[in-house]
């Protein structure tokens, strides 16, 4: 820092500068301006300002919250600095479980993910042993959509390895070591990862109805679905694995569990083949009704459109354009246009 000057010398210098500047201004001014300047100099106090001679402010102490955080890091948080492989490194809270990473939000529980060995097992069962997705889902307790996603991702991974593309295996292992994982050891019974036969609550079932029923017959789920709406299917047909219901019924009737499981695998395989055939038929019909014109840069797809597709009232969903048919959901405002599910 530059040396500090005494206050008295600074005041004298400022006074001399002000007197010299005032004398110069008085010499060059008119008689009226001289009178005004002289009266102003006599009445106004000295405008000179002195430099501060106080000592520099002492360094502030850390805030109380920061001090508490540092104390917590030295005591309770000391064990979280080093991560133990294979275990989560969550706070958990004093009374909460270790699977709760946010102590202030005990309702949030970290769900386990499939380990690398479990993903390899799923891919091997589907792509090597040619087991159906439904059978693998029911055997391992993994949702069908997750099974399909694992198979697709493993196919991409193996294709990259075949082409010599380097994978980020160290990063994947590091992430899997910090989150809870789910695996299937050979010496232990297989535990389900998630519920596989849940259905969403349909809006038709949110209403309260009073339906008279005969006492001489049983009121089934089919009757309940028909009471809500004539097009609503029963839960036995809406669940992802309706074959599991039939399997349990066969076991209840006296069939052995292993035999019923084999029948379930055959039924699941047949239902998957029927679904794939239906999808292929729709794609073939779409391709048949579409004329393709290929150019150097683009491929034009031309379809035959009928004016009668708008229906009797002109609002049929098969109509073309928003003016004739009802627009699709992705054309409306405030609609999520990114994929939210895996088919």
């Amino acid at each position: 820092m530059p040396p500090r000057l005494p206050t008295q010398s600074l005041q004298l210098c400022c006074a001399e500068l002000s007197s010299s500047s005032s004398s110069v201004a008085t010499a060059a001014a008119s008689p009226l301006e001289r009178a005004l300047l002289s009266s102003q100099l006599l009445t106004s106090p000295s405008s000179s300002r002195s430099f501060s001679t106080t000592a520099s402010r002492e360094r502030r102490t850390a805030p109380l919250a920061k001090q508490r955080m540092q104390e917590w890091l030295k005591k309770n948080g000391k064990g979280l600095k080093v991560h133990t492989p294979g275990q989560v490194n969550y706070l958990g809270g004093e009374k909460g479980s270790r699977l709760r990473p946010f102590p202030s939000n005990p309702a949030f529980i970290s769900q386990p993910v499939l380990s690398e060995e479990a993903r390899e097992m799923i891919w091997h069962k589907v792509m090597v042993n040619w087991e159906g997705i439904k059978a693998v889902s029911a055997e391992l307790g993994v949702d069908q959509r997750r099974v399909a996603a694992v198979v697709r991702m493993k196919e991409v991974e193996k294709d990259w390895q075949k082409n010599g593309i380097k994978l980020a295996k160290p990063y994947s292992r590091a992430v899997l070591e910090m989150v809870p994982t789910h695996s299937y050891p050979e010496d232990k019974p297989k535990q389900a990862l998630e519920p596989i036969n849940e259905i969403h609550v349909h809006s038709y079932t949110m209403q309260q109805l009073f339906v008279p029923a005969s006492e001489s017959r049983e009121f089934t789920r089919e009757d309940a679905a028909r009471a809500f709406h004539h097009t609503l299917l029963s839960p036995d047909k809406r669940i992802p694995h309706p074959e599991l219901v039939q399997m349990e019924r066969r076991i209840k009737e006296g069939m052995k569990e292993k035999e019923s499981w084999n029948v379930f695998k055959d039924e699941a395989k047949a239902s998957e083949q029927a679904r794939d055939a239906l999808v292929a038929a729709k794609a073939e019909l779409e391709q048949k009704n579409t004329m393709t014109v290929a150019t150097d840069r683009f491929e034009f797809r031309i379809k035959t459109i009928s004016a009668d597709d708008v229906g009797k009232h002109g609002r049929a969903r098969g109509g073309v354009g928003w003016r004739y048919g009802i627009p699709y959901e992705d054309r409306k405002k405030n609609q999520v246009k990114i994929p939210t599910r895996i088919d």
Side-chain angles (χ1 to χ4, degrees):
M1 294 179 62
R4 298 181 180 273
L5 299 178
T7 307
Q8 296 179 356
S9 60
L10 287 174
Q11 292 178 354
L12 292 175
C13 293
C14 293
E16 292 177 359
L17 290 174
S18 61
S19 61
S20 61
S21 60
S22 61
S23 61
V24 173
T26 305
S30 61
L32 180 60
E33 292 176 349
R34 292 175 187 175
L36 292 175
L37 287 173
S38 60
S39 62
Q40 185 178 3
L41 290 174
L42 291 174
T43 56
S44 62
S46 177
S47 60
S48 61
R49 185 179 62 179
S50 61
F51 290 95
S52 175
T53 58
T54 57
S56 60
R57 182 179 296 179
E58 297 294 335
R59 189 174 183 179
R60 291 185 177 181
T61 58
L64 183 59
K66 188 174 182 180
Q67 293 179 6
R68 291 178 178 177
M69 184 191 70
Q70 293 175 353
E71 293 178 0
W72 183 86
L73 289 175
K74 293 178 181 179
K75 296 179 181 179
N76 299 338
K78 188 176 181 180
L80 299 175
K81 291 184 178 180
V82 181
H83 171 247
T84 303
Q87 298 181 5
V88 296
N89 203 26
Y90 297 155
L91 293 176
E94 298 179 357
K95 300 181 181 179
S97 172
R98 294 293 294 177
L99 295 180
R100 289 181 170 87
F102 309 111
S104 300
N105 186 11
F108 180 85
I109 300 177
S110 180
Q111 300 296 332
V113 299
L114 289 172
S115 62
E116 189 64 30
E117 294 78 10
R119 298 176 190 176
E120 187 69 25
M121 178 193 299
I122 291 174
W123 177 85
H124 191 272
K125 284 179 174 293
V126 176
M127 301 303 297
V128 178
N129 298 342
W130 292 104
E131 299 182 19
I133 293 180
K134 281 190 174 183
V136 175
S137 173
E139 180 183 359
L140 302 180
V142 183
D143 192 86
Q144 296 184 61
R145 296 166 294 181
R146 194 180 302 277
V147 172
V150 167
V151 172
R152 286 196 293 266
M153 294 300 295
K154 294 298 291 185
E155 283 292 311
V156 173
E157 178 182 334
K158 293 184 181 299
D159 183 65
W160 283 10
Q161 290 178 348
K162 183 179 179 181
N163 296 332
I165 301 177
K166 189 176 181 180
L167 303 178
K169 286 292 185 180
Y171 175 78
S172 176
R173 286 194 297 267
V175 172
L176 290 177
E177 286 179 355
M178 292 187 292
V179 297
T181 57
H182 187 85
S183 58
Y184 301 94
E186 297 181 357
D187 56 344
K188 295 181 180 180
K190 297 177 181 178
Q191 300 291 334
L193 173 68
E194 56 191 347
I196 61 173
N197 233 11
E198 290 187 344
I199 55 177
H200 70 280
V201 179
H202 202 280
S203 59
Y204 288 159
T205 62
M206 298 299 293
Q207 54 184 332
Q208 186 177 9
L209 301 177
F210 294 92
V211 181
S214 175
E215 296 182 359
S216 60
R217 60 182 298 271
E218 183 181 359
F219 191 79
T220 62
R221 295 179 180 177
E222 295 282 349
D223 300 330
R226 196 178 300 110
F228 284 117
H229 198 269
H230 65 279
T231 60
L232 184 64
L233 299 177
S234 65
D236 294 344
K237 296 180 180 179
R238 292 171 55 204
I239 56 178
H241 293 273
E243 298 84 7
L244 285 177
V245 178
Q246 303 298 330
M247 184 186 74
E248 295 296 334
R249 288 177 178 174
R250 288 192 297 267
I251 294 175
K252 188 176 181 180
E253 292 174 358
M255 183 181 290
K256 295 182 179 180
E257 185 176 355
K258 188 175 182 180
E259 296 179 1
S260 182
W261 172 256
N262 294 332
V263 175
F264 162 76
K265 293 176 68 175
D266 297 337
E267 292 178 350
K269 193 75 172 180
S271 65
E272 288 184 12
Q273 292 177 355
R275 182 185 58 188
D276 296 342
L278 182 61
V279 172
K282 287 184 178 180
E284 184 179 358
L285 181 62
E286 184 75 13
Q287 185 179 4
K288 183 179 179 181
N289 296 333
T290 303
M291 182 177 63
T292 304
V293 179
T295 61
D296 295 338
R297 296 184 58 185
F298 304 101
E299 182 180 274
F300 297 94
R301 298 181 180 91
I302 304 173
K303 298 181 181 180
T304 303
I305 302 300
S306 176
D308 298 332
D309 294 340
V310 296
K312 181 179 180 181
H313 302 285
R315 299 291 293 174
R317 293 183 61 87
V320 179
W322 65 271
R323 189 173 182 179
Y324 304 102
I326 300 176
Y328 291 105
E329 294 295 327
D330 59 349
R331 302 295 297 174
K332 295 181 180 179
K333 293 183 179 180
N334 301 327
Q335 294 292 331
V336 179
K337 298 179 177 60
I338 60 176
T340 57
R341 64 177 184 177
I342 301 174
D343 295 328

